[in-house]
Each structure stands twice: as C-alpha cells, then as structure tokens.
Amino acid sequence: MSYRVLLATFGSLGDLHPFMAIGRALRERGIEARLAAAPDYREMIEAAGLEFAPMRPSLGQFGDREALSRRLFQQLRGAEIMMRELVIPFVREAHEDVSRAAVGTDLFVSHTLTFALHMLAEHQRKPWLSVALAPIAFMSRNDPPILPGFDLLRIGRRFGPRGYDWALALMHSVIRRWERPLHEFRAQIGLPATRHVHMAEGQFSPQGTLAMFDGVLTTPQPDWPPNVMFCGAPVYDGAAPDPLRLIELQQFLARGAPPLVFALGSSAIYIAKDFWQQALAASRRLGRRAILITGKPVALPSGDDYRAFDYLPYSAVFPHAAAVVHQVGIGTLSQAMRSGRPQLLVPVSFDQPDNAHRAAKLGIARVLPFQRVNAARLESELRALLADANAAAAARKLATTLHGTDGAGNAAEFIAAKLEAGARRG
C-alpha cells in the first residue's frame, strides 16, 4: 500500500533541514513526502527531490533580513516578536495553504510553530505526529531549561517544584495573551475551546512526538508529554557545495595544522557585526590557522593563514578542525558533536543558551555568550579549550557514541509504523 505524508515547518534552515531529512528518509522507504514551508524554500526543497507545498507567510515579505534578525535575537522579546508578528497574524493564510496541501495525504508531521497544521489535524481527525527539535521544547520541571535573558524557570526551580510551576504558569499567562487570535480562529473554524497553550503543551500530538535531537543532551522525564520517540538528530548538510569550494578547502587543510573553524549557522550571521574580524584576530594571537563560514561575503584583511567561505557542509570541515566555534543551533551542535572535536559555544538566543549548557555538561565544550565575544575573550577561552586534554578525549568518545545514529531514518521508521497500524485499523 502506498502512503503520502504531509510535513510542515516554519523558521530558519535549522527548522527546515530536519524536515527535509525526514522527507528524504520517507522517500527512501517508498513513502511520498510533501513538505509545506515558506515559499522562499521552494527551490531548495524541490532540489532535494521532495514535493513542495507553499505555506504562508513568505520570509521575504518581512523586509531587510538583518533588521529582522536583530529584533528576533533580542533575548527578552525575540520569542514575542516571532509569535506576534511572524506566526500568529498569518494563521488563517497558513491554514488555507495546509488544507490544500493535505489533500491525498495520510498523516501529518508538525513543527512547534505550525499551529495551522495542528488545528487541521484536529478538525479533520487526521493522524499526526509532532516534532521536538531541541530539549527546551519539553520545558520539564525535572530538567529545567535555560531561557535567554531573564531565566525565569531556573530561578523558580531554586524554590523547588512549586516554584517552577509558579514561574511556568506566569510565563504561560503571558503567552496566552499573545495567542488570543489563535483561540479566536479555532472558534471560527468550529473547533472547541481549549485551555492549552499552543506554544507549550498544545504543540504535542497525543499520538506521538518525535524527539529529533541526540539523547546525550537529556533523558526522558516524568512530565514529558506521552508517546515521545527518541530518534536522534537528523543530520543534514543541505545543498551540495560548489566542487571548487571543496577543492579550495582540501588544499588549505593540506597546507598546515588543523585550523580553528568558526560558524554562526544560517540566522546569527545577520547579527554577526565584527564577529569574523574578532575571530580572525583571536586565531592569529594564538598562532592558529582559521576557517570562517560566514554565510555571506565579509570584508576581512588579507592573509594566507585563513580562508573564508560563504557556505561549506559542516560534515566536510568540522572533523578537520582543531576546535569548532559556533552559535549552538541544535543542527550545528549535532554536526559538531559528531566531529569529535572540542567546541567553544557562543550562544545568542532562543534554544541556544540551553543547548550550550547541555553540551558543556558533557565535558566537550566551553561557553562564551555571543554578547561578550571579542578577540581577547575568544583567545582566552580557546587557549584553555585547546589545552584541555579531557575535553578533547570526551569529544572523541562522544563522536564514537553517536556514530551511526540515523535520526531521520528512525523518525521515518516510526512514521511508517504509524501508517501501517492505521491501515490495519482502517
């Protein structure tokens, strides 16, 4: 029997790539995958061999990417801006789009912010699975996450579980005000009222949640939602690079000692400011070569001791590094953990501070918040990291532990099992 699955995601490449990886894994198993995402990603999704369905809004309609990124990466207001300006105002349009995309599909797979797909699944009584891309999604009182800016939850946890529950209830009361239009839209399409916070417990399907991150970062907790399936990270490099770039990389690597590698993912590059200049200065003070993955052209001083690339597959460069410096997006972290190299983490906002805390607890990394980065601090932290034999050994051991973990394949197998079980019941 043939099946078709509708996946939907919203956000940066860190939100897109895991769903693309799952879609490709489904296709390898003979299951058709249709991926609903912002229209900006059509070419990328279709180049990966997946069926694309546009889901508004378009990221391009929000104007200058750098200005938008500066607002979204505000530690105290970034999540509010994301919800109240980029997601919630477009729920009607997104619902129209996923309603069209859902025709002929057998099961939905949803991102935290694809509220329209959650509602459509409820309205059509269609089987669906939710996805948790990072541990912070679960907001567990037993394993409290680190929030950017004012860390309300961990402050509350100092007073025990009741203190945490009070802090979480306060946070939910604020989010409920943001989400009022979502509840109004539910009523308009005939769905019953709910007390769930869509961005919290409302994001999880009772039929199952795919935990798409590596289990070394946390362990299952009693207050997690039911039916969580630990899949592991769906490592995905994205578009194939220009072969000339790879030749240039290989030639540079062959000419000297392993370099320091600096990367800021696909979003933090827009608020980098002088990060790359500071990174190069720190590398030179340490007498180290460097590779900078800048995401876009950057003005830098000349020199043979570094190379700057707008894009490189992380799997092609991280394993060759003396150390990896990155912003701790969950996808970047997953690649870095598999490289076997020690890491300096420069978290900016969203899930990144929590990801950094969890990685540092593994003994593989040091943490320098992005807001405190300058050449002197980079030099100091990297000098300590490079001298830490225990960190190097822990990084190698972790890479061995994670070797062979196929997060996308595990997710596809779980989805296939759900489809088969549904067919037997039907």
Side-chain angles (χ1 to χ4, degrees):
M1 183 174 180
S2 60
Y3 299 106
R4 175 170 286 177
V5 171
L6 174 63
L7 306 104
T9 187
F10 179 81
S12 68
L13 294 185
D15 301 282
L16 177 68
H17 281 173
F19 283 80
M20 291 178 66
I22 295 170
R24 288 164 61 93
L26 288 169
R27 190 185 62 179
E28 290 170 1
R29 289 159 174 79
I31 300 171
E32 292 300 315
R34 181 180 294 162
L35 179 50
D40 319 67
Y41 294 133
R42 174 187 290 274
E43 183 177 350
M44 190 180 304
I45 292 169
E46 291 181 344
L50 300 175
E51 186 179 349
F52 171 75
M55 183 180 67
R56 290 169 286 180
S58 164
L59 301 179
Q61 73 188 68
F62 297 108
D64 180 74
R65 189 67 180 270
E66 293 192 19
L68 176 63
S69 297
R70 284 195 295 272
R71 298 185 66 227
L72 291 175
F73 276 113
Q74 294 178 56
Q75 291 195 333
L76 292 178
R77 294 202 60 232
E80 179 183 2
I81 292 168
M82 172 72 78
M83 288 282 286
R84 301 184 81 168
E85 297 185 23
L86 274 66
V87 179
I88 292 176
F90 300 94
V91 66
R92 181 178 297 277
E93 291 91 335
H95 189 269
E96 292 171 359
D97 293 339
V98 294
S99 296
R100 285 190 291 270
V103 174
T105 61
D106 303 293
L107 181 144
F108 302 158
V109 180
S110 67
H111 180 274
T112 297
L113 297 179
T114 53
F115 304 125
L117 191 64
H118 305 168
M119 294 182 196
L120 186 66
E122 184 179 351
H123 191 266
Q124 295 188 353
R125 299 184 179 180
K126 183 87 85 171
W128 69 290
L129 299 170
S130 46
V131 167
L133 292 178
I136 197 172
F138 294 118
M139 293 287 179
S140 171
R141 72 157 71 160
N142 304 298
D143 182 20
I146 291 180
L147 302 180
F150 183 63
D151 196 2
L152 176 65
L153 295 182
R154 291 180 77 87
I155 292 172
R157 189 63 177 85
R158 293 173 189 169
F159 299 95
R162 289 186 179 180
Y164 182 88
D165 290 346
W166 175 85
L168 187 63
L170 178 61
M171 190 171 77
H172 282 183
S173 70
V174 172
I175 298 173
R176 281 193 182 93
R177 289 198 293 272
W178 304 349
E179 291 187 349
R180 194 167 294 144
L182 293 180
H183 293 271
E184 293 170 356
F185 181 69
R186 285 180 61 88
Q188 291 168 14
I189 61 174
L191 288 176
T194 176
R195 292 186 56 80
H196 286 166
V197 178
H198 286 81
M199 198 176 173
E201 68 272 19
Q203 68 176 286
F204 299 115
S205 168
Q207 298 163 48
T209 294
L210 307 174
M212 303 303 299
F213 54 85
D214 292 310
V216 296
L217 295 174
T218 187
T219 55
Q221 300 297 329
D223 57 349
W224 280 15
N227 304 319
V228 174
M229 167 67 177
F230 250 121
C231 298
V235 176
Y236 184 72
D237 272 321
D242 181 344
L244 294 178
R245 279 198 192 115
L246 289 182
I247 293 172
E248 183 182 358
L249 169 65
Q250 291 160 3
Q251 290 175 340
F252 180 75
L253 290 172
R255 283 201 293 268
L260 300 170
V261 175
F262 297 83
L264 288 179
S266 64
S267 295
I269 57 170
Y270 293 106
I271 61 165
K273 296 183 179 179
D274 65 347
F275 175 84
W276 308 111
Q277 291 81 359
Q278 300 290 342
L280 182 56
S283 300
R284 287 175 167 171
R285 291 181 186 183
L286 292 164
R288 295 276 183 167
R289 304 191 312 150
I291 289 176
L292 314 176
I293 307 174
T294 62
K296 58 179 184 172
V298 175
L300 293 164
S302 61
D304 294 328
D305 57 344
Y306 82 96
R307 287 292 181 272
F309 298 87
D310 58 351
Y311 167 73
L312 281 175
Y314 289 159
S315 63
V317 62
F318 282 2
H320 302 286
V324 181
V325 184
H326 64 92
Q327 88 295 354
V328 220
I330 195 66
T332 308
L333 176 60
S334 300
Q335 294 264 24
M337 289 195 301
R338 284 160 174 74
S339 74
R341 312 312 302 155
Q343 303 168 45
L344 176 58
L345 310 175
V346 290
V348 186
S349 190
F350 294 108
D351 62 324
Q352 296 168 9
D354 187 60
N355 296 338
H357 172 72
R358 295 173 186 278
K361 284 172 61 178
L362 297 174
I364 62 172
R366 296 176 68 88
V367 180
L368 174 63
F370 182 83
Q371 293 78 8
R372 299 186 65 243
V373 165
N374 60 31
R377 293 191 182 107
L378 283 172
E379 176 193 3
S380 175
E381 291 292 337
L382 282 167
R383 191 180 299 280
L385 180 68
L386 294 167
D388 188 346
N390 290 332
R396 290 191 297 269
K397 182 177 180 181
L398 180 60
T400 300
T401 299
L402 296 176
H403 179 71
T405 301
D406 181 7
N410 293 336
E413 291 291 340
F414 188 74
I415 292 168
K418 282 285 184 183
L419 290 165
E420 291 291 344
R424 288 195 295 271
R425 287 194 299 270

